[in-house]
């Protein structure tokens, strides 16, 4: 009998600890907190731009080298770049060079989707520049999709 009472008291003690376990680390920002102010939305957009300048995207070969090679604006005989200029992904060097762009680009697109999704729960009354924030996120997302299409879509000659 005493064991049951003790077990019941201990179980009641652990039932009250729910909020204690819901602590977020300082480096982690919850969507509700991030998108509650205009500064939070701007920080999210700045984070998108910082992700875009990494080596996997516009901070690397996606900005100049690969578009110029694929556009045949200059010709090279430099090792694997010949295969990149032909978009020959059968070659492992060319495939490794271009395959880093996909996950980097779609990671940024997922960040933008998160911003757009959270802004849809708000309105012009909540933020002075609501339309600017939403338009910027939609425009950058469209630009990244367009670049991926422009660089890697199958070209059909009519």
């Amino acid at each position: 009998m005493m064991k049951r009472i003790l077990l019941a008291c201990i179980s009641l003690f652990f039932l009250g600890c729910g909020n204690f376990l819901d602590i977020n680390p300082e480096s982690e920002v919850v969507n509700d907190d991030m998108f509650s102010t205009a500064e939070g939305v701007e920080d999210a957009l700045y984070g998108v731009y910082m992700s875009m300048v990494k080596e996997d995207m516009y901070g690397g070969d996606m900005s100049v080298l690969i578009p110029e090679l694929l556009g045949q604006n200059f010709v090279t005989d430099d090792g694997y770049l010949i295969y990149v200029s032909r978009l020959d992904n059968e070659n492992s060097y060319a495939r490794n060079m271009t395959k880093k762009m996909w996950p980097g680009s779609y990671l940024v697109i997922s960040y933008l989707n998160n911003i757009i999704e959270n802004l849809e729960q708000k309105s012009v009354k909540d933020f002075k520049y609501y339309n600017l924030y939403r338009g910027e996120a939609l425009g950058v997302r469209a630009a990244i999709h367009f670049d991926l299409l422009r660089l890697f879509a199958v070209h059909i000659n009519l």
Side-chain angles (χ1 to χ4, degrees):
M1 178 72 165
M2 188 63 150
K3 288 182 182 180
R4 289 183 184 169
I5 294 173
L6 184 62
L7 185 61
C9 291
I10 291 174
S11 64
L12 288 175
F13 175 73
F14 285 112
L15 289 175
C17 295
N19 292 338
F20 175 74
L21 300 174
D22 292 340
I23 297 173
N24 295 325
E26 289 182 21
S27 62
E28 180 182 321
V29 179
V30 181
N31 278 343
D32 296 337
D33 296 338
M34 176 69 105
F35 296 100
S36 62
T37 64
E39 291 81 18
V41 176
E42 291 172 6
D43 287 343
L45 288 169
Y46 294 149
V48 165
Y49 288 123
M50 293 307 296
S51 297
M52 289 174 65
V53 297
K54 291 184 179 175
E55 282 293 318
D56 298 341
M57 289 187 64
Y58 298 106
D61 298 329
M62 191 172 171
S63 59
V64 176
L65 179 65
I66 291 180
E68 294 296 320
L69 283 171
L70 294 175
Q72 305 295 317
N73 290 331
F74 67 87
V75 180
T76 182
D77 59 353
D78 185 23
Y80 67 93
L81 292 179
I82 295 170
Y83 300 107
V84 174
S85 68
R86 295 182 200 150
L87 200 56
D88 181 10
N89 285 328
E90 296 297 320
N91 181 280
S92 63
Y93 293 113
R95 185 174 52 247
N96 287 336
M97 184 176 188
T98 57
K99 81 175 185 178
K100 294 184 298 184
M101 294 176 196
W102 283 94
S105 297
Y106 277 101
L107 181 66
V108 172
I109 289 171
S110 73
Y111 295 156
L112 290 163
N113 286 338
N114 186 36
I115 292 170
I116 293 166
E117 181 181 308
N118 280 288
L119 283 175
E120 286 176 351
Q121 299 170 4
K122 305 290 183 182
S123 68
V124 180
K125 296 174 187 172
D126 296 323
F127 302 127
K128 180 179 178 181
Y129 299 112
Y130 171 83
N131 290 327
L132 180 71
Y133 299 147
R134 191 166 187 277
E136 186 174 350
L138 289 169
V140 172
R141 182 178 70 174
I144 294 170
H145 275 119
F146 177 72
D147 270 348
L148 290 174
L149 178 71
R150 177 177 64 101
L151 294 175
F152 299 109
V154 176
H155 300 284
I156 301 172
N157 295 328
L158 297 175

